[in-house]
Amino acid sequence: MRLEVIREIQRQRASASQPLYPAPESLPAVKPDDGNPVSLKRRLMHLLAPVAFPVKSMFCSMSNQAIFSDWKHRVTTGYRFSEEWLTRRFHQEIGSMDGRRVLIPGTHFNTREARRWFGRPVSELHLLDIVDWSPAFASGAAELERLCLPKLSFHHGTLDKLPLVDGAVDVMESCAVLEHVGNMKDSAKEMARILSPDGLALHRFGPLYFTHGGDHCSAALGLDHGYDHLLLDDAPYVKQLQDSAPYERLGQEASDSRYWALQGIFSFLKPQEYLDAFTPWFELVEVLTVVSEEALAFRSARPDLWNTLLKAGLEEKDLLIGSMSVILRKH
């Protein structure tokens, strides 16, 4: 098993700054404005979420009570109603959007995370990424100015060394970013530094490394392979990653999914370790834990391998928690 190798990589990354990457050869072009249409299904999900999500979460907590008895946060299975409920909850905490300064890490201008802020009455929208998208922003400046109501800025930088002054933003939101941040302790401190007093942050992140498919790619090979990043010894695991053929047979998306594992760009943290990084600087307004349906299926289908993971010292909740979402308020 790779657990000792994982621990060593985590120790190295926990004290190092995230590496920066240059602009890619192929740069995105600004997509035309589609008016941000919301489907009828999505509107219904938003309407039902305030009632449906707490009921769903309650039943999930009851059915997994033995595993999560010491876990003081919301638990649900799958993603239905959870994103809608959490988004509504976040906006309740923010209140008025007028004049707010917003930071979205891990994005360029075409992502859903960035675009949904384009038409809001915030004063500044800051986008940040470890990849240098500056040339794309420069080439699309005129179109972006037409599409984006707030003042739009891009920053090439990392969360552990944010290129922003103290108190530069009031609101921060990220999606599928924190599971790739190695130095979470310094990143949490930096996020608090650049937020204004009582500033708010919403972070959605996952899959977490110790869950099914936590390396972002092995689960593409089938349900039985979802914990290969933990169960295999390091050499066989690396060999499997480097063998392009089985991934390419599954399509370009599956082949590309190996990028994060080949580069080792993960935090390698367990759920509680993320919360421990936040708490010196933030109040945990909401913590939403999503149990992986694939992890539950693996536990049922392969009890032999599941017991191997438990005997190695891993806890069931760390293996089952697929992702987390947190709303944070700066102390």
Side-chain angles (χ1 to χ4, degrees):
M1 297 180 70
R2 298 182 63 243
L3 297 184
E4 188 53 46
V5 172
I6 291 167
R7 282 190 284 267
E8 180 56 34
I9 297 171
Q10 182 188 1
R11 281 193 289 267
Q12 294 172 8
R13 296 204 68 217
S15 59
S17 182
Q18 195 96 6
L20 289 171
Y21 295 84
E25 293 182 9
S26 178
L27 293 171
V30 181
K31 293 179 181 177
D33 185 13
D34 61 2
N36 297 313
V38 180
S39 68
L40 176 60
K41 179 181 177 181
R42 181 62 66 185
R43 289 198 294 269
L44 287 173
M45 295 282 278
H46 276 282
L47 288 172
L48 294 172
V51 175
F53 173 75
V55 172
K56 179 186 173 188
S57 179
M58 179 184 68
F59 278 106
C60 182
S61 296
M62 290 171 60
S63 61
N64 292 282
Q65 189 172 17
I67 298 170
F68 291 97
S69 60
D70 62 341
W71 189 250
K72 308 303 180 185
H73 311 292
R74 296 182 188 271
V75 179
T76 188
T77 303
Y79 294 93
R80 181 171 294 179
F81 298 117
S82 61
E83 181 176 347
E84 293 80 10
W85 180 86
L86 196 74
T87 299
R88 182 188 287 262
R89 182 75 180 85
F90 187 47
H91 287 206
Q92 288 174 343
E93 290 294 327
I94 295 173
S96 173
M97 294 284 185
D98 291 346
R100 297 283 191 170
R101 302 162 298 165
V102 180
L103 170 64
I104 314 294
T107 186
H108 56 69
F109 46 70
N110 280 341
T111 65
R112 186 180 69 153
E113 292 74 39
R115 286 298 187 106
R116 63 186 177 189
W117 287 93
F118 274 23
R120 292 179 178 165
V122 299
S123 61
E124 300 174 13
L125 180 59
H126 298 266
L127 308 182
L128 175 136
D129 201 37
I130 58 175
V131 176
D132 187 7
W133 301 110
S134 300
F137 274 77
S139 64
E143 184 68 3
L144 287 169
E145 186 174 355
R146 185 184 72 81
L147 292 175
C148 189
L149 179 62
K151 178 184 176 183
L152 182 65
S153 303
F154 174 73
H155 308 273
H156 185 211
T158 65
L159 284 175
D160 57 83
K161 291 184 179 178
L162 282 165
L164 292 162
V165 300
D166 295 2
V169 298
D170 308 299
V171 176
M172 186 176 184
E173 182 179 12
S174 77
C175 182
V177 172
L178 297 192
E179 74 268 26
H180 298 297
V181 174
N183 191 338
M184 271 303 307
K185 181 179 178 181
D186 286 352
S187 295
K189 182 178 180 180
E190 277 288 276
M191 290 189 288
R193 179 185 66 78
I194 59 96
L195 277 168
S196 59
D198 294 320
L200 289 161
L202 168 59
H203 299 291
R204 300 179 176 93
F205 49 103
L208 306 189
Y209 197 78
F210 289 90
T211 194
H212 190 277
D215 65 347
H216 287 39
C217 60
S218 292
L221 301 176
L223 180 71
D224 284 2
H225 292 277
Y227 289 97
D228 281 359
H229 58 296
L230 306 179
L231 287 165
L232 294 180
D233 289 335
D234 198 52
Y237 174 68
V238 172
K239 183 179 180 180
Q240 177 175 287
L241 284 179
Q242 293 174 342
D243 183 5
S244 302
Y247 288 96
E248 289 176 351
R249 284 196 293 270
L250 295 168
Q252 190 62 45
E253 184 177 350
S255 183
D256 291 346
S257 70
R258 296 174 297 147
Y259 172 79
W260 304 101
L262 288 168
Q263 301 293 324
I265 308 176
F266 295 107
S267 69
F268 302 104
L269 295 180
K270 296 172 183 174
Q272 186 60 49
E273 291 172 325
Y274 284 102
L275 302 184
D276 291 343
F278 298 140
T279 48
W281 316 103
F282 295 97
E283 171 196 351
L284 301 175
V285 179
E286 292 286 353
V287 177
L288 172 57
T289 303
V290 178
V291 174
S292 166
E293 293 172 303
E294 293 79 12
L296 291 171
F298 181 94
R299 183 178 67 173
S300 178
R302 296 303 307 266
D304 54 333
L305 295 179
W306 190 261
N307 286 327
T308 297
L309 292 165
L310 296 179
K311 288 176 182 177
L314 296 170
E315 295 187 27
E316 282 210 284
K317 66 172 178 287
D318 297 330
L319 297 169
L320 288 173
I321 293 176
S323 68
M324 297 176 70
S325 297
V326 295
I327 297 176
L328 309 173
R329 179 184 287 110
K330 179 179 174 179
H331 286 321

